[in-house]
Amino acid sequence: MAEEALDVRGVVNAREMLSGEENIHVEVVAESTSEIEESTDQLDDLGLRIVSSNILAEEHIQPWNHFHQEFAGEDADAPEEIGSAEG
C-alpha cells in the first residue's frame, strides 16, 4: 500500500513502520487545504485509514556529520580524513 500511495497526487514520501496500527506514514505536499483533501480522499480510496494528520509549519534539519563528529572526536574535524580513500 505504501508504494501505491506514492501514485497519489502530492505524496512525496511513504514510510512503512514495523508494527502498530499506524504502520504507514505518508507525507503530502500541497498548496491548499482543498489539494490536501483530494490527496486524503485518494489515500482513503486505496484503503488507507488516516488515524491522524498534522500540518507542518517549519522543518529544521540536522546534518548527519554533526553526530559523526560528536562520536569520532577532534580528529573528525580534518576534511581530508572524512571519507578519505587512503588507509
Side-chain angles (χ1 to χ4, degrees), residues 65-79:
N65 67 352
H66 165 78
F67 299 105
H68 173 72
Q69 290 177 356
E70 179 181 333
F71 293 115
E74 293 180 35
D75 292 338
D77 292 342

Side-chain angles (χ1 to χ4, degrees), residues 26-38:
V26 177
E27 185 175 341
V28 175
V29 175
E31 292 184 2
S32 66
T33 54
S34 63
E35 287 182 8
I36 292 172
E37 288 175 8
E38 288 177 30

